[in-house]
Amino acid sequence: MGSYRALHDGWTLTGASHEIEAAVPGCVHTDLLAAGVIDDPFLDDNELRQEWIGRTDWVYETTFDWQPDELAPRTDLVCDGLDTIAALTLNGTEIGRTANMHRGYRFDVASKVKPGANTLRVAFTSAKNHAESERERLGDRPNAYPEPFNFIRKMACSFGWDWGPTLITAGIWRPIGLHTWGAGRLARVRPLVTVTGDGDGRIELHVDVERAGTDPLILTASVAGVRVEHTLQPDEGTAVLVLDVPQPALWWPHSLGDAPLHPVDVALTTTGGTSLDEWHRRVGFRTVALDTTDGAFTLAINDVPLFARGVNWIPDDALVTRVTRARLAERLTEAVAANVDTIRVWGGGLYESDDFYEVCDELGLLVLQDFPFACAAYPEEEPLASEVAAEARENVVRLASHPSLVAWTGNNENIWGWHDWDWQPALGDRTWGAGYYFGLLPSVVGDLDPTRPYWPGSPWSGDHDTHPNEPSRGTMHIWDVWNRVDYTRYRDYQPRFVAEFGFQAPPAFATLRRAISDEPLTPSSPGIAHHQKAIDGNLKLERGLAEHLPVPRDFDDWHFLTQVNQARAIALGVEHFRSLRPYCMGAVVWQLNDCWPVTSWSAVDGDGRRKPLWYALRHGYADRLLTVQPRPHGPAVIAVNDGRSRWTGEIEVTRRTLDGDVLAKSVFPLSLEPRASVTTPLPPDIATPGDASAELIVVTAGSARALWFFAEDKQINFPIPGYDAEVAPVDGGYDVTVTARTVLRDLTIFPDRLDPGAVADSALVTLLPGETTTFRVRTDATLDAAGLTARPVLRCVNDVRP
């Protein structure tokens, strides 16, 4: 059998008069940080003093011992990921060059490697210098940011984004090693997994074999007790092995069922049974279809239409080599805990690691995968065109086994940009990427993985005669909210599927305090300002607050209220879009995660701490949702059931004073099938307030609850908050029980102010007088009970008053 030897030890890194030890896999920034050459780029404004790293050429070098194997005369250097422009030499002889972070490379080094000591050298040219050179050669192209990321096949957001730092990395960022083999190897295994109308599973394994001899070889494949065998004749290099599995347990997103996985094994042997190579993956049996009838954009899994409760995903660290499987599992589990069932991998990042998709498979998360093109016009000339084709073919095959991956999308916002962002006069007759999105990429997906749908862009309306961001057709992005208009304008839209919408807030206080040394912290202090990358970001935060909430008195108020406002903005959007079911069948919030400590649109910040938005998503994406929405004839109650069973019972609706007194009441029956919704107009005595500034509507159905305030908080004369609080130690932390003596609006506890590792189980709880809630605080520290029940740890909106 062939053997693989990782080459991860003994590396040095040289560049800009520095020679230091290097970690492989890794990148220049992490090596420089480990050696003490640079300060942490995530802290304060250290990022600004590290541009030189991206302008420098770097050399990695290692020496390794080698002994030939007479039974395995072929030796390849296998590079899973090099970032990005590199020349490789072995013992002083060039063996290859690379120009694409998004793909792997394999070089035949059998004639270059020698017995004893060997020296491998990987010399990286500055990615920024290379991209600028290509821009000059090909002519400039429009771009949302003043960086040439569209002229190189590299993670775009390493050049900076409106939520990310500019850290232009270089390095051996994925495994590298020597593969020694003999008569043959499995060059490519491409599984196409389908389910028949009768519920039987089928796997077509398209196998390519690279051969070094002329003897017949044996291919075997097995799954779920089914085994097939094929003999490759001397002139054969490809085969299709078909595995038919009777009635396998189906894979479902976690919102619809279980996610069973089935190991698939492929082996290549000699006719005498000597093992040559093996391939192992896990698959899930499921079907995926995309219904675009009449402009719809509805995903159906195993013929069941699904409202996609989604979040966008960006690389989880600006220095991506630090992202481990455990970290991915933690972050993606946070998504599941927030009732998210769909993850969109955004086009300015990466084809994520195998670990990412394996975790999504296990958790029952659906993945919408963008090809990595974002917010710019991309040249279609060589050599970029060939690199794009090679990376697309490699990654479509690499990810084909994952049931979580349910759709490919050609790009992020580039078709929209061509239509609306004044690109056409600047481009003239130069290429901009259309040939990729409408030609190359659908061809690659159609040829290599016809089991999954392809969509040319996000957003995209479905045809060239309709504006790409038309709400009534296909997918859309909503960014006038946040950028220009109030978040209540989400209700102006009647979309079929919203692939991006978002609202900003700062990260958790403990995250800010770790990353920023400003004294004092203020919304405009230098560190806070540097960790706000959006154009006029703080002004937009201020504008958003002014429409709804009291004026902050100090930084603590500003931090609390901006986080509350973010949560409310997205909750309003999510509940509105879900209330339109089945006309609208997806809401994908921008964004789940961050890549460093920053004020952004995320629900989980750069240090992995939940913002109040996370709790709002958990409520808004619950299987059973009650929401009050304005309709042409007044407020209505909408019940949405995205659970697996019928929702029955009664809906009780009351109009109350802020003191909790019932002014009007109505009760009506509820019987709602799974994956359905029902709208009930409210009677006039409930829908019409006597005093809009002092009344609200309360809707309950079992444990589900919805509130409707007739006025904005800044117009409501909330009382000074009154409550009784008790703190009780429990295993793993504390229970903080609050009983309201007055209305408490969006009561939230921030235990990270006392212990950076502390986490609360709930947030944004509105209590009426006499109601009680208990926050479970998980912490290993001993916390002060008085601190847990007072400002700035325990907050509600009506404590922000003169």
Side-chain angles (χ1 to χ4, degrees), residues 437-472:
Y437 318 136
F438 298 108
L440 172 67
L441 298 178
S443 174
V444 169
V445 174
D447 289 346
L448 297 180
D449 189 7
T451 70
R452 290 175 173 86
Y454 170 85
W455 197 246
S458 185
W460 173 240
S461 61
D463 66 72
H464 294 280
D465 297 326
T466 305
H467 189 279
N469 203 35
E470 164 59 39
S472 66

Side-chain angles (χ1 to χ4, degrees), residues 532-583:
Q532 166 61 277
K533 295 291 188 177
I535 296 172
D536 296 330
N538 276 8
L539 292 177
K540 293 170 183 176
L541 287 173
E542 183 179 328
R543 185 198 67 218
L545 283 180
E547 296 288 334
H548 302 280
L549 290 162
V551 176
R553 299 161 298 181
D554 54 22
F555 181 81
D556 287 340
D557 282 356
W558 176 85
H559 184 261
F560 168 58
L561 292 177
T562 52
Q563 288 199 331
V564 167
N565 211 41
Q566 177 194 37
R568 289 194 189 174
I570 298 306
L572 184 146
V574 164
E575 293 186 20
H576 167 64
F577 301 137
R578 288 190 72 186
S579 79
L580 300 177
R581 188 190 210 286
Y583 183 83

